Amino acid sequence: MTTTRSNKRTGGTKPAEQNPDLFDQAPASLVLDEFQMLKRFITNMEDNVYCVTNLPEEFIAVLFAWVSRSPKSFKEHVLQAIKDGFIDPAKILENPYEQLSDKAAAFHEKWVVGYGHSSVAEHANAHVGVERVSRLASAELELSNEHYAITEYSQRYQKPVRGAWFNPFERWINHSGPTRDMHENPAWIAYEGFMNECFDVFEELIDGVYKHLTEGKFYPSADSEIARINATAMKLSFEDARYALPLAMFTQLGMTANGRSWRDGLSNLYASDYAEVHDMTNKLKREITKVLPTLLKHADPSEYQAKSKKRMKARFPETFVKGKALQPVALYDFPLEGHALREIVTHEIVRAQGLTINEARARAGTYSTEELKEIVLELIWEMGKYDAPPESFKQIHYQFSMLISEANWHQLLRHNRKTAFTFAPPNVHSGITIPPRIKEAGLEHKLVELAAKAEEFFGTLSPGIREYVVLNAHRRQILADCNLWEMYHLINLRTSEEAQWDIRQAFNDLYEQLKFAHPTLISAAKRR
């Protein structure tokens, strides 16, 4: 493993060391004007975690949507919106974070904090920008509460840059900053060397896949069409090459949640195994409290959660078995279709006729299996590709397992809020997923060799640090529980041609198993 790099390729330090000032290149007078303008909308101008406030709700939705397709920060987008006339700072109050009156604050203190009427906190929202956190930390954040609204930077559409990664090691030994006799931490140097090797392979895969997709191909004569084809080939190239990148790579998120969701989520985050997550959680609490000063009173570390987690780790020590054959996708628990059909019809009878559950079940029991199928098919007849499934479908549950790449897992957890997940920690022992285009280009060996280096390096690092070197290609075990309503959503969305190939393949496998188990119930799930 290479551990030394030229000055051109250093970087990847702690966020505070790497974060360039947004206004470094602007004239001093302009810097002050911009700073004062943005202070009305951003709770913290110096940090990478902050709330976005005092803006129209629909604009905030657009602002957060931009993050998926743009490398710019939220601050830069807000500033550009001001310059373009979409926001008029003159109409915003001088006091950007208007506080509650003493009487209103006392009410919240008594009823929300004192008496535990947490539902009151559901009416107050905080919009948060989180930048320059690792993908490892972003997954912990997204999974800490199921009620977040999330938009995240997409590695499918935005090409990562060298050095944009989190390094959990302190750079300098014995000193807090550069001095004449300082020296760099060998652990920091080794980590940087590995990250740069990953990025080397990432760039080599981009070049190789792009060459494979474009060389010797017939092109139309129109320059615009050639440019479009080349752009598509480049997008596909770095979309697949990103499987060589580790979970340490930086990402950014736009998030919206109510006070209760933030409180519960932050409490869960304090039980994380990662120091980066604890630091991020403290910043989230600090910034959200500026907007919701009373409603986050119980967003504290839970001694119970920490001790319970520790007890389970002691009882079930880590025992990953390298190379163990596991089925990629398995539907392992579900009702017989006849029972499921009868349950759905039972709920439709209650909805239509107001019978008791026993009366409705007795009525549904008089129908033959064929009649039950006919009723359910009538229920879903003419369902369009954007229509929601019947509410009665929420009564039928499935459990399935997936052995999927980290790249796949990060897509699944982002766009799915109605599935209960149990997931193994990031690891290097469950094999890797190799994108088909990398195989077709004859570059499979590069990813295999890099994964072997990651596995070796992983073994030298301690828990809480080693997970950062897990690659997007590495797989982990996921268990999931969802109802038929959610299954319709997942199959319809994730098996479409627009879906990324990895997650599409996983859900096509699941869909085939569902068709075998429940051919009638699942018949209208795939509608795109």
Side-chain angles (χ1 to χ4, degrees):
M1 181 184 303
T2 304
T3 58
T4 58
R5 295 281 166 179
S6 66
N7 290 337
K8 180 180 178 181
R9 296 169 62 184
T10 58
T13 60
K14 296 291 183 65
E17 295 178 40
Q18 271 202 325
N19 189 19
D21 192 325
L22 175 62
F23 310 113
D24 274 351
Q25 307 304 317
S29 59
L30 184 59
V31 168
L32 182 60
D33 290 343
E34 293 177 348
F35 187 89
Q36 293 301 327
M37 281 192 293
L38 283 179
K39 277 181 65 178
R40 302 182 181 190
F41 312 109
I42 304 296
T43 60
N44 194 318
M45 294 296 295
E46 287 77 34
D47 212 321
N48 294 318
V49 177
Y50 48 84
C51 287
V52 180
T53 187
N54 285 327
L55 290 168
E57 290 294 314
E58 289 193 356
F59 175 79
I60 292 177
V62 173
L63 174 68
F64 282 3
W66 282 335
V67 71
S68 178
R69 303 294 190 270
S70 170
K72 293 182 179 180
S73 72
F74 299 112
K75 296 173 186 175
E76 289 174 295
H77 280 301
V78 172
L79 183 60
Q80 190 61 51
I82 293 172
K83 291 180 177 179
D84 292 343
F86 291 110
I87 300 170
D88 184 358
K91 294 182 179 179
I92 305 299
L93 295 174
E94 284 300 323
N95 179 10
Y97 322 124
E98 188 172 357
Q99 301 297 307
L100 292 171
S101 67
D102 291 342
K103 187 174 182 179
F107 174 87
H108 280 309
E109 189 76 34
K110 177 179 179 180
W111 293 99
V112 180
V113 180
Y115 290 164
H117 288 282
S118 298
S119 59
V120 175
E122 295 175 3
H123 295 286
N125 290 327
H127 306 285
V128 179
V130 181
E131 299 174 355
R132 298 179 68 79
V133 295
S134 70
R135 280 168 62 81
L136 183 69
S138 74
E140 294 259 314
L141 173 56
E142 292 170 41
L143 289 164
S144 65
N145 193 286
E146 63 184 3
H147 298 297
Y148 297 139
I150 303 167
T151 304
E152 185 177 1
Y153 166 98
S154 174
Q155 284 188 345
R156 290 186 65 196
Y157 299 98
Q158 293 298 316
K159 182 179 176 181
V161 296
R162 187 183 293 274
W165 54 66
F166 179 79
N167 189 326
F169 293 103
E170 294 292 338
R171 182 170 186 175
W172 307 107
I173 292 181
N174 299 327
H175 297 284
S176 59
T179 63
R180 186 171 57 184
D181 58 345
M182 70 179 183
H183 62 281
E184 288 184 321
N185 184 351
W188 183 91
I189 295 173
Y191 184 94
E192 287 296 301
F194 174 75
M195 293 296 146
N196 275 299
E197 281 194 74
C198 291
F199 212 86
D200 288 343
V201 174
F202 170 66
E203 292 180 330
E204 290 167 8
L205 290 175
I206 290 176
D207 293 342
V209 174
Y210 180 79
K211 182 178 180 181
H212 166 71
L213 292 175
T214 57
E215 272 196 354
K217 302 296 190 296
F218 170 77
Y219 285 114
S221 57
D223 290 343
S224 60
E225 185 65 8
I226 293 174
R228 185 190 66 79
I229 292 173
N230 285 341
T232 300
M234 179 55 69
K235 174 189 171 297
L236 293 174
S237 298
F238 73 71
E239 176 181 316
D240 285 358
R242 70 194 172 102
Y243 280 67
L245 295 176
L247 297 184
M249 296 303 297
F250 281 145
T251 186
Q252 58 186 29
L253 308 89
M255 302 179 65
T256 298
N258 62 49
R260 186 178 192 174
S261 297
W262 281 122
R263 183 200 65 190
D264 296 345
L266 295 181
S267 182
N268 289 332
L269 284 170
Y270 277 120
S272 173
D273 294 327
Y274 307 109
E276 180 196 9
V277 174
H278 285 261
D279 181 58
M280 175 183 67
T281 306
N282 287 331
K283 291 179 179 180
L284 284 166
K285 184 177 180 180
R286 179 193 67 202
E287 297 306 314
I288 297 169
T289 299
K290 294 177 181 178
V291 179
L292 308 177
T294 308
L295 301 180
L296 252 60
K297 283 291 179 72
H298 289 316
D300 297 315
S302 166
E303 186 176 351
Y304 155 72
Q305 284 183 315
K307 289 184 176 180
S308 177
K309 189 173 184 178
K310 186 176 181 180
R311 288 193 295 268
M312 290 301 99
K313 284 188 173 184
R315 180 170 288 275
F316 304 112
E318 186 177 278
T319 54
F320 289 112
V321 180
K322 183 176 180 180
K324 185 176 180 180
L326 296 169
Q327 187 175 352
V329 179
L331 180 66
Y332 66 85
D333 192 60
F334 52 91
L336 295 173
E337 185 168 52
H339 293 167
L341 290 167
R342 188 168 289 106
E343 189 68 12
I344 288 171
V345 171
T346 295
H347 282 267
E348 291 300 328
I349 291 171
V350 171
R351 187 189 305 278
Q353 298 184 322
L355 302 182
T356 67
I357 184 64
N358 290 334
E359 291 171 330
R361 280 183 172 156
R363 172 79 182 276
T366 65
Y367 293 111
S368 68
T369 300
E370 291 306 312
E371 288 173 322
L372 292 171
K373 289 180 180 179
E374 181 182 346
I375 294 170
V376 171
L377 289 174
E378 185 178 338
L379 181 64
I380 59 179
W381 185 51
E382 296 183 317
M383 184 186 294
K385 63 182 179 180
Y386 299 120
D387 289 328
E391 287 295 300
S392 55
F393 278 21
K394 293 179 179 178
Q395 306 302 322
I396 310 304
H397 284 264
Y398 303 85
Q399 291 183 324
F400 59 94
S401 65
M402 287 185 165
L403 182 64
I404 55 177
S405 69
E406 290 290 339
N408 193 342
W409 169 231
H410 280 253
Q411 294 181 81
L412 179 58
L413 67 89
R414 264 205 314 273
H415 298 293
N416 178 50
R417 314 314 297 170
K418 292 180 179 291
T419 301
F421 290 116
T422 300
F423 44 92
N427 68 90
V428 296
H429 305 301
S430 300
I432 63 172
T433 295
I434 301 176
R437 282 182 288 263
I438 289 178
K439 291 182 180 179
E440 293 165 6
L443 300 170
E444 179 177 356
H445 66 283
K446 289 186 177 294
L447 196 52
V448 171
E449 291 167 2
L450 180 65
K453 291 180 180 180
E455 291 164 20
E456 179 184 357
F457 195 32
F458 182 94
T460 68
L461 301 172
S462 60
I465 292 178
R466 64 189 183 187
E467 291 83 1
Y468 285 99
V469 306
V470 172
L471 306 180
N472 281 333
H474 280 116
R475 298 184 293 185
R476 71 161 109 178
Q477 186 69 46
I478 309 296
L479 305 181
D481 184 309
C482 72
N483 58 46
L484 180 58
W485 191 101
E486 175 69 1
M487 193 67 82
Y488 259 59
H489 165 72
L490 290 171
I491 296 298
N492 191 40
L493 178 66
R494 294 306 186 182
T495 62
S496 70
E497 287 302 313
E498 293 80 14
Q500 189 258 359
W501 64 266
D502 198 355
I503 199 166
R504 184 173 66 243
Q505 178 178 303
F507 277 92
N508 272 328
D509 288 350
L510 180 61
Y511 177 60
E512 291 302 317
Q513 295 178 49
L514 285 164
K515 284 200 300 182
F516 181 79
H518 286 174
T520 302
L521 286 177
I522 209 68
S523 59
K526 196 171 183 177
R527 307 186 302 282
R528 295 194 185 193

